[in-house]
Amino acid sequence: MIRYITWIFTILFTLGLAGSIGALMVLYYFGRGLPDYAQLAKYEPAVVSRVYAGDGRLFAEYATQKRVFVPIEAIPRRVIQTFLAAEDKNFYEHSGLDFFGIIRASIVNLSQMGTKKRPMGASTITQQVAKNLLLSGIATRASFERKIKEAILAFRIENALSKDRILELYINEIYLGGGSYGVGAAALNYFNKSLDELTIAEAAFLAGLPKAPSKYNPKNNYAAAKSRRDWVITRMYEEGVITRQEARAAKEEAIVLKRPDPTRVVKANYFAEEVRRTLISKYGESSLYKGGLTVRTTLDPHLQKIADWALRKGLITYDRRHGWRGALLHINLKDSGKETWLSQLATIIDPPGVGRWQLAIVIKLENNGAKIGLKSGDEGTIPLSELTWARKSLPPTKTLVDEKEVIQVNIGPPIYHPRDVLSVGDVVLVELVQEKQKYYSLQQIPEVSGALIAMDPHTGRVLAMSGGFSFDASQFNRVTQALRQPGSSIKPFVYLAAMERGFSPATIVSDSPISIALGRGLGIYSPKNVTSNYYGRVPLRIGLQKSLNMMTIRLVHEYVGMKPVAKLIEKFGIMDHVPMQIAMAIGAGETTLLRLAAAYAMLANGGKRLEPTLIDRIQDRHGKTLFTADTRLCCSCKNQPWLIKQEIPLIEDHREQMADPRSIYQITSMLEGAVRAGSARRAQVLGKILAIKTGTTNKEMDAWTFAYTPDLVVGTYVGYDNPQPLGHMEGGSRVALPLIVDFMGKALDGIPSKPFKIPSGMKLVRMKEMTGQTARAGDYGVIYEALKVNQNLRDASSESSSRPSRRQPSETSLERYHKPAEVYEDSYYEVPQYESNSLPAPAAPTMSGTGGLY
């Protein structure tokens, strides 16, 4: 008997030893080369970076995995208990493996051997963390190798991390369908709620998703999703998380998905893309798409919406003036039956950039309109009144106007019947204009493009940016990426150079034909005004208000010189390395809308340097500030108890003063005159105090307009991406200015006009606007001219000069006011060493034509 017992113990010992050795060998074999589990202690999952508008609304997200990381302390206890009831009820008791669950799964799997059913799992939350974070390469395989590796890592993780840390990693890492990683992102994606707002039924639905997110998506299989959710609710009741009454009420609740409210999401694609490029250049793609950056931008959603509307309206208006280019395509309809045209229309893909417009097919023509069918199956009418603009677009022709060759736009005869525009079977774009009568307007995507920007002149914050007609059609941002000639919009800075050298708005300079010899073999430069009319000897104010090219060229060539003008243009950041070419004074160089708008912002704020910025603040995932645009210091904020007799904060402004504030104000006063009696008269309908300058380039290639108040700067540009003439007289006043009027009309609605601040050292003198002479009682055309104190009135052509080709004002006739040395250097007032015959030849486009026009 004893011998049998001995044999039994020997066999058991041998088996146990063999089993132990085998287990050790298995552990060694599968455990070698496993990932370092200790890294989970400092593991930070990829988190979505979010971009917010200035009012706190979200308008862009960037992520490889859409995840919102929620610390375990911030996750509601009920949400945690719901996931534990559904996935691992013994999580806080086991050491990484649920042995009872393993035995149960083994029995089930043995009973299913020979079938095609997927083996039942018994993974704990710890094992799932190991699988998702450390074994992602083999996570989708159902194999013993993966299970063994999971078990080994689960034990190691349990010894290295706390239970709460493991649960935090799990809840923030799991994929819950719909592109959502982690329960925080899923709550927003499915229900547009934060975790503490979830109901019992909603939390149960989310807890049921990890097993098979696509299978339990209610959009695809509502019955399966509800069944899984109800099972989780039952588990919650069995584990004592909820009461019987709560469970019953939760099961009766339907699964209702709620997408984010569109009114709380801002659409600003060009702005968002510019911010994205900035963030990548600063921090790299990994930080943007995985780092969970929080970016607060300068975007004003209200102004952005107005900017998009004004730009689209302006481009469509210009495009319609140039006629109808025809239907998108034509389909031969055998009959007008709905099944016929609807099947044909369903196969056509919407062209990029349609926005809210719809594809339609013409199914019948009548005397008073065209019957159309839409992709939705609805039918409607394009009334004749919505077709009258669609005169056929004809090829442009060249013609002579005022001895200049111009491009004349041609369109076909007037429209009297719908057949003059459309044919049955034409596929066109339409927009609903009257829902009750189902009236639609005929539309076409403009070939011309443009951009619009709005800025805060005090800080340089970009409030709105619309870089084109449609971001879907073209992601090219014409605010920041399009280099174009500024035309006459550069002139305020040319005249500012004159104001800095002692000239005044009342200084008389001749507006008459001028020809400049550029040197041996370089020819003669003979710019022209927009018309053949010349004003003769008039004040500089008239020259800027009416954008006279002859006066501007003479002012630079004979009095100021190109060197101070080029230096000022570079100083204001409009261009870099301005060539010493006289045509640059009327806008022959190249710049961007953003740079030129920033320069106008410096005029609006009295001459303080600023840099345009799209971002106010950037924070990392932990809330640490990485960047802030406002670097000013509060000098009176130190050692003051908060909220106890605190003084008004004193913020020091160390920004450079770009020019004398008095010279700046003189330019602003002249640009106000452009609205009253100059190239921007169309803006009078606004009834606001505005300073505006229009601009058009050679052969009407580009149209510009810039407008500013003391608190807002707006600039716009219109032109073709592949430069071509806009058409005769299609310049800044006719093409670009209406965009500014539309924008300002809505942006300033209800906001009282605010006059520009007059700096000290100025005087307002009653003068006759057209002559620059002191006004007397009873005179007409009288204005209050802005002069510097002790500034003398003079005629520039009457000053004596040692060089006839370059008349330089004498010291006795021009006031030399004192300026701080660090801002205004003496060299700023040096007479430029300028020789006409030493100028390099201007670029070809600036040699012929008008340069900047009006």
Side-chain angles (χ1 to χ4, degrees):
M1 184 68 180
I2 296 176
R3 184 167 53 180
Y4 287 117
I5 296 175
T6 303
W7 276 104
I8 291 173
F9 277 107
T10 302
I11 293 171
L12 291 175
F13 176 77
T14 303
L15 291 175
L17 181 61
S20 300
I21 294 173
L24 290 174
M25 291 179 65
V26 169
L27 292 175
Y28 172 77
Y29 177 79
F30 289 104
R32 58 181 179 171
L34 286 177
D36 181 15
Y37 60 91
Q39 63 182 308
L40 295 179
K42 297 182 180 179
Y43 173 73
E44 290 185 337
V47 180
V48 61
S49 291
R50 290 185 155 184
V51 182
Y52 296 91
D55 63 356
R57 283 193 280 171
L58 178 71
F59 75 93
E61 291 182 327
Y62 302 103
T64 54
Q65 296 178 349
K66 191 173 180 180
R67 177 184 291 106
V68 179
F69 188 85
V70 184
I72 191 67
E73 298 85 2
I75 302 175
R77 186 63 185 167
R78 175 169 285 179
V79 174
I80 293 175
Q81 291 173 332
T82 303
F83 273 84
L84 292 181
E87 292 291 315
D88 191 354
K89 66 176 182 178
N90 298 318
F91 173 72
Y92 279 97
E93 283 74 39
H94 64 65
S95 59
L97 294 179
D98 185 356
F99 291 103
F100 293 105
I102 293 174
I103 294 172
R104 182 176 64 253
S106 299
I107 295 173
V108 173
N109 291 336
L110 286 173
S111 66
Q112 294 178 350
M113 288 185 65
T115 66
K116 294 183 179 180
K117 293 184 178 180
R118 183 181 178 88
M120 178 181 179
S123 296
T124 62
I125 284 178
T126 311
Q127 286 177 274
Q128 293 185 56
V129 169
K131 177 185 71 173
N132 294 333
L133 300 184
L134 302 177
L135 298 174
S136 57
I138 60 174
T140 57
R141 289 190 220 157
S143 63
F144 286 107
E145 176 189 356
R146 195 201 79 189
K147 286 296 183 180
I148 293 172
K149 288 183 176 182
E150 280 183 16
I152 295 171
L153 286 173
F155 277 117
R156 294 179 180 179
I157 292 172
E158 288 280 350
N159 291 327
L161 305 179
S162 68
K163 287 286 188 178
D164 284 348
R165 174 59 175 168
I166 296 170
L167 187 59
E168 180 182 65
L169 290 173
Y170 170 76
I171 286 183
N172 285 285
E173 186 66 30
I174 51 173
Y175 180 64
L176 297 173
S180 302
Y181 290 82
V183 68
L188 292 172
N189 187 38
Y190 287 107
F191 302 112
N192 193 29
K193 291 182 178 181
S194 60
L195 293 179
D196 57 352
E197 295 174 323
L198 293 175
T199 65
I200 294 173
E202 291 168 344
F205 167 77
L206 297 179
L209 289 174
K211 185 177 181 180
S214 59
K215 178 181 178 181
Y216 298 123
N217 188 326
K219 288 184 177 180
N220 303 329
N221 193 337
Y222 184 87
K226 188 175 186 305
S227 176
R228 176 66 177 172
R229 184 206 65 177
D230 292 348
W231 177 84
V232 175
I233 293 173
T234 300
R235 294 288 304 121
M236 294 171 68
Y237 166 67
E238 292 174 350
E239 294 299 319
V241 178
I242 58 177
T243 64
R244 181 186 296 272
Q245 290 77 12
E246 289 175 326
R248 185 180 296 111
K251 288 184 179 181
E252 292 175 355
E253 187 177 318
I255 301 176
V256 180
L257 304 183
K258 298 178 182 178
R259 304 298 299 172
D261 185 357
T263 61
R264 301 182 64 183
V265 179
V266 180
K267 185 178 181 181
N269 292 329
Y270 284 104
F271 196 105
E273 177 61 16
E274 196 65 29
V275 170
R276 188 189 71 87
R277 286 197 291 262
T278 302
L279 294 174
I280 289 177
S281 66
K282 276 180 171 288
Y283 306 108
E285 289 193 14
S286 179
S287 294
L288 175 61
Y289 288 98
K290 299 180 181 179
L293 300 177
T294 298
V295 184
R296 177 61 65 89
T297 70
T298 62
L299 181 71
D300 185 318
H302 174 63
L303 294 182
Q304 180 63 49
K305 187 175 181 179
I306 298 173
D308 292 338
W309 167 80
L311 180 62
R312 287 180 65 93
K313 179 185 175 185
L315 297 181
I316 291 171
T317 300
Y318 167 83
D319 186 70
R320 286 189 168 191
R321 285 202 300 268
H322 291 243
W324 168 246
R325 296 187 296 275
L328 297 176
L329 54 92
H330 181 81
I331 297 174
N332 292 320
L333 293 179
K334 297 179 181 178
D335 58 72
S336 59
K338 184 173 182 179
E339 292 184 0
T340 302
W341 62 257
L342 185 58
S343 60
Q344 294 274 16
L345 196 58
T347 61
I348 303 174
I349 301 175
D350 290 356
V354 297
R356 294 184 301 176
W357 298 347
Q358 303 177 64
L359 276 180
I361 186 169
V362 179
I363 56 179
K364 186 178 180 181
L365 295 178
E366 300 175 343
N367 290 332
N368 60 350
K371 294 292 183 181
I372 58 172
L374 306 172
K375 273 189 173 182
S376 62
D378 294 337
E379 295 183 7
T381 302
I382 305 177
L384 182 61
S385 60
E386 293 292 341
L387 295 171
T388 53
W389 71 267
R391 299 166 68 177
K392 186 177 181 180
S393 177
L394 301 176
T397 57
K398 294 182 180 180
T399 183
L400 289 177
V401 177
D402 294 332
E403 300 181 354
K404 295 183 298 183
E405 186 181 82
V406 299
I407 303 298
Q408 187 70 47
V409 175
N410 299 310
I411 56 176
I415 306 301
Y416 298 106
H417 193 279
R419 63 171 171 265
D420 296 335
V421 181
L422 301 172
S423 301
V424 174
D426 281 350
V427 177
V428 296
L429 291 172
V430 297
E431 182 180 19
L432 182 65
V433 291
Q434 286 188 21
E435 186 172 0
K436 185 177 181 181
Q437 296 177 312
K438 293 187 177 181
Y439 281 173
Y440 292 81
S441 63
L442 181 66
Q443 302 290 348
Q444 70 178 357
I445 298 176
E447 290 183 342
V448 72
S449 196
L452 191 147
I453 186 173
M455 295 178 63
D456 181 345
H458 304 294
T459 61
R461 300 172 75 246
V462 177
L463 304 175
M465 174 189 292
S466 189
F469 181 79
S470 169
F471 186 80
D472 295 331
S474 172
Q475 297 182 15
F476 181 66
N477 190 338
R478 295 152 191 87
V479 173
T480 60
Q481 295 175 305
L483 282 168
R484 307 303 288 259
Q485 291 186 341
S488 296
S489 59
I490 200 75
K491 288 179 182 176
F493 305 93
V494 176
Y495 283 72
L496 178 59
M499 299 301 107
E500 286 287 82
R501 293 175 65 79
F503 288 72
S504 78
T507 303
I508 303 297
V509 175
S510 176
D511 175 60
S512 57
I514 182 172
S515 296
I516 302 173
L518 298 176
R520 184 175 300 171
L522 298 179
I524 303 296
Y525 178 50
S526 300
K528 299 181 183 299
N529 286 337
V530 65
T531 67
S532 59
N533 297 327
Y534 299 98
Y535 284 78
R537 289 159 45 81
V538 290
L540 288 180
R541 168 179 287 278
I542 301 301
L544 185 56
Q545 287 181 183
K546 298 185 179 299
S547 200
L548 305 178
N549 285 341
M550 303 301 98
M551 176 186 287
T552 305
I553 291 295
R554 179 171 278 104
L555 176 67
V556 175
H557 180 62
E558 298 184 0
Y559 304 111
V560 178
M562 193 61 209
K563 184 177 179 181
V565 172
K567 185 175 180 180
L568 195 70
I569 291 174
E570 293 174 358
K571 186 176 183 181
F572 273 78
I574 300 171
M575 302 178 197
D576 301 323
H577 312 297
V578 178
M580 293 294 106
Q581 299 174 359
I582 196 69
M584 302 297 291
I586 52 175
E590 287 186 335
T591 186
T592 65
L593 178 59
L594 178 65
R595 297 184 71 171
L596 202 47
Y600 273 89
M602 288 182 251
L603 295 181
N605 69 21
K608 291 290 186 180
R609 177 180 288 279
L610 57 77
E611 294 291 335
T613 179
L614 282 73
I615 300 173
D616 281 336
R617 183 182 297 272
I618 303 173
Q619 295 171 288
D620 64 14
R621 66 169 73 205
H622 304 295
K624 179 183 177 182
T625 297
L626 304 178
F627 166 82
T628 181
D630 192 348
T631 58
R632 295 175 298 169
L633 299 177
C634 177
C635 301
S636 60
C637 297
K638 296 180 180 179
N639 302 322
Q640 287 196 31
W642 288 100
L643 303 177
I644 302 178
K645 296 182 179 180
Q646 184 175 355
E647 298 178 2
I648 298 177
L650 177 62
I651 308 297
E652 287 194 0
D653 189 351
H654 297 292
R655 293 178 297 177
E656 177 187 2
Q657 183 70 36
M658 304 296 288
D660 189 318
R662 298 179 297 177
S663 299
I664 297 279
Y665 180 76
Q666 287 178 320
I667 296 299
T668 296
S669 174
M670 295 160 79
L671 295 183
E672 285 186 87
V675 179
R676 182 186 69 255
S679 60
R681 288 188 299 272
R682 296 188 185 197
Q684 291 178 3
V685 298
L686 296 174
K688 301 288 185 179
I689 298 176
L690 294 169
I692 298 181
K693 183 69 189 80
T694 59
T696 311
T697 60
N698 191 35
K699 296 184 179 179
E700 285 101 345
M701 291 285 190
D702 308 291
W704 304 75
T705 297
F706 292 87
Y708 61 89
T709 70
D711 300 316
L712 181 65
V713 175
V714 184
T716 188
Y717 148 81
V718 177
Y720 289 93
D721 288 340
N722 295 318
Q724 65 185 68
L726 293 168
H728 181 50
M729 298 302 291
E730 295 279 17
S733 294
R734 190 181 187 199
V735 178
L737 180 58
L739 278 69
I740 295 293
V741 173
D742 286 338
F743 180 90
M744 287 295 200
K746 289 187 176 293
L748 301 180
D749 185 30
I751 300 177
S753 286
K754 180 179 179 181
F756 293 96
K757 183 179 179 181
I758 302 177
S760 59
M762 297 293 296
K763 60 182 179 182
L764 298 179
V765 180
R766 292 182 74 254
M767 290 185 174
K768 291 189 283 185
E769 185 174 20
M770 292 299 297
T771 64
Q773 298 175 346
T774 303
R776 299 178 181 178
D779 285 343
Y780 294 97
V782 175
I783 62 170
Y784 282 93
E785 189 59 270
L787 302 177
K788 298 168 187 174
V789 174
N790 299 326
Q791 192 169 37
N792 297 322
L793 305 181
R794 64 186 187 84
D795 183 339
S797 62
S798 66
E799 297 295 340
S800 61
S801 174
S802 59
R803 297 178 59 197
S805 63
R806 175 53 46 85
R807 300 185 182 92
Q808 177 63 24
S810 64
E811 288 291 332
T812 58
S813 64
L814 295 180
E815 175 206 3
R816 277 296 193 97
Y817 47 82
H818 297 286
K819 309 172 188 66
E822 66 273 15
V823 176
Y824 304 101
E825 297 134 312
D826 291 338
S827 60
Y828 195 83
Y829 294 92
E830 291 178 359
V831 178
Q833 301 303 312
Y834 179 99
E835 298 291 342
S836 295
N837 57 9
S838 65
L839 283 174
T846 64
M847 288 296 295
S848 62
T850 60
L853 296 179
Y854 49 96

